[in-house]
Amino acid sequence: MKKFLLASAATALVAGSAYAAGHSDEVKVGLMLGFTGPAESYAPPMAGGARAAVKEVAESGLFLGGKKLTLVEGDSTCADAAIATSVAERFVTADGVSGIIGALCSGATTAALQNVAVPNGMVMISPSATSPALSTIEDNGLFFRATPSDARQGAVMADILLEEGITSVAVTYTNNDYGKGLADSFEANYTANGGEVTINASHEDGKGDYSAEVGALASAGGDLLVVVGYADQGGKGIIQASLDTGAFDTFHLPDAMVGFATEANFGADLDGTMGQVPGTDAPGGDLYTPIGEANGFDATAPFSPESYDAAAILLLAMQAAGSNDPAVYKEKMFDVANAPGEQIFPGELAKALEILANGGEVDLVGASAVELIEPGEASGSYRVIKTVNGKQETIGYR
């Protein structure tokens, strides 16, 4: 269960800003993603998903009795806690938002949550922050995520490798909450089931040369290299140095290494490499694809479906509560995401708003088959990928 904090005096900021919005004809929601930084290639399709859900709700005319809905955006980066905090502060104090979607990375999410959201009583829901530490963070019941914890991804990753007959690996991880949390979860699950981790070493993002790190990893040995990094930063550098030196030619890639950027950077050089990213083969995914096409983004990109669902959960919770006050609607987040209720798929948010306005119940299946479990995160399924002829192909789900 999540831990709870006493609200600070900074709660007065909310009373003086966002909750004038409770009596106005406009409701604002903030979207903070790492549009720049080590995971920037993930942000555009994620933003596309959140924008599409907000657009769908806004254009229905049914939100909170016809209130105007506006999305404000900010670049939280993935690497600078001060910037993430500043963006969240701007959302609350200047923009007067009633909820925040984001951030993209775990470190930015933690900074914004602890420094701004909790003291100000603001609900946050991240589509992609996966650090296990976020499951126990003190949050007054204000934090949710539409993606599973890396406590689960670590177990899934260990199972995939062992089932492939990989019994010895080297591990490198980006030196932050996300990297260490996932690397530790993986090692615990892998070694408990008979695997050997020869080395579990951090790397820093933003370096021009990773030959020293790769040298240490190669000296430790292993059947392959697990790269818990970012596709636009250190993870990319580690793979390139490994290929250049011949240290490793096969890798295993978790969520922040899966996607178009890695495929474009390395192509067939990664043939045989496997990995996993949150994903489902539920029908919501097929229904979400044309929404992406209509709005100019790739709906199949990692964390784009979760971004649509995160925005939808937030807005439907407000509708269910009949209020955009986070202290009120936070109690409805689980209700709209889970059974019982009429199942709601992508493109059906107007129907959901109408059901809720009439006192009914909804169960958002959404684009990612989202189901919230305690302490407010997705139970989660994973799409297993393998690089074949330079393309990351889906070979199964877990």
Side-chain angles (χ1 to χ4, degrees):
M1 297 291 291
K2 295 181 183 178
K3 298 179 181 178
F4 286 78
L5 277 175
L6 293 175
S8 76
T11 302
L13 289 174
V14 169
S17 57
Y19 300 105
H23 305 288
S24 74
D25 292 329
E26 181 179 21
V27 176
K28 295 181 180 179
V29 172
L31 173 66
M32 55 188 301
L33 297 176
F35 291 101
T36 61
E40 62 188 18
S41 64
Y42 290 80
M46 290 177 63
R51 291 167 187 156
V54 172
K55 177 183 176 184
E56 198 176 324
V57 170
E59 291 183 348
S60 74
L62 300 171
F63 180 63
L64 292 179
K67 287 188 176 183
K68 179 182 178 182
L69 177 62
T70 302
L71 186 67
V72 295
E73 301 184 12
D75 180 8
S76 56
T77 81
C78 275
D80 193 321
I83 291 178
T85 297
S86 177
V87 170
E89 285 176 342
R90 187 255 293 174
F91 281 169
V92 172
T93 60
D95 296 318
V97 301
S98 297
I100 297 174
I101 305 159
L104 194 164
C105 295
S106 296
T109 301
T110 301
L113 179 65
Q114 292 183 319
N115 297 331
V116 180
V118 170
N120 289 283
M122 183 60 60
V123 168
M124 282 183 65
I125 180 166
S126 172
S128 54
T130 56
S131 171
L134 286 166
S135 295
T136 54
I137 199 167
E138 296 173 323
D139 73 341
N140 284 355
L142 293 163
F143 178 66
F144 302 84
R145 46 183 169 175
T147 194
S149 164
D150 282 332
R152 171 157 165 73
Q153 184 173 189
V156 169
M157 184 158 59
D159 288 346
I160 292 170
L161 284 165
L162 290 169
E163 288 172 14
E164 290 293 311
I166 306 299
T167 58
S168 175
V169 300
V171 178
T172 180
Y173 64 89
T174 183
N175 191 18
N176 62 18
D177 292 346
Y178 159 70
K180 182 166 175 52
L182 178 51
D184 287 350
S185 172
F186 166 70
E187 181 173 18
N189 284 280
Y190 190 64
T191 57
N193 289 284
E196 177 192 10
V197 173
T198 62
I199 185 174
N200 191 351
S202 66
H203 63 261
E204 301 295 334
D205 287 316
K207 295 182 64 175
D209 182 4
Y210 288 93
S211 58
E213 289 86 348
V214 168
L217 295 164
S219 294
D223 296 335
L224 55 71
L225 177 60
V226 176
V227 184
V228 184
Y230 292 122
D232 301 312
Q233 274 284 355
K236 173 186 174 182
I238 290 283
I239 291 177
Q240 190 63 65
S242 297
L243 294 172
D244 289 345
T245 62
F248 294 93
D249 59 9
T250 308
F251 308 87
H252 190 92
L253 307 179
D255 50 3
M257 290 297 301
V258 174
F260 172 76
T262 296
E263 186 177 278
N265 286 330
F266 299 106
D269 286 343
L270 293 191
D271 278 1
T273 287
M274 295 180 66
Q276 69 286 320
V277 65
T280 178
D281 58 350
D286 291 337
L287 296 170
Y288 181 55
T289 298
I291 291 176
E293 292 171 351
N295 289 279
F297 66 90
D298 180 3
T300 67
F303 299 112
S304 182
E306 288 80 6
S307 298
Y308 178 92
D309 291 348
I313 291 169
L314 189 75
L315 298 173
L316 294 181
M318 292 182 193
Q319 183 81 346
S323 172
N324 62 303
D325 184 342
V328 177
Y329 78 75
K330 72 178 184 178
E331 305 299 336
K332 297 294 186 179
M333 298 284 280
F334 273 87
D335 293 348
V336 299
N338 297 347
E342 183 162 347
Q343 291 191 333
I344 300 298
F345 293 92
E348 297 183 339
L349 299 185
K351 180 173 79 171
L353 293 168
E354 186 172 9
I355 291 170
L356 292 169
N358 291 329
E361 296 180 313
V362 300
D363 170 15
L364 180 73
V365 178
S368 67
V370 64
E371 184 82 6
L372 292 185
I373 59 172
E374 290 293 349
E377 59 199 29
S379 54
S381 63
Y382 288 84
R383 178 166 59 94
V384 182
I385 66 99
K386 185 173 185 177
T387 303
V388 179
N389 296 324
K391 300 294 183 183
Q392 293 178 347
E393 296 186 355
T394 301
I395 61 170
Y397 295 88
R398 292 176 180 261

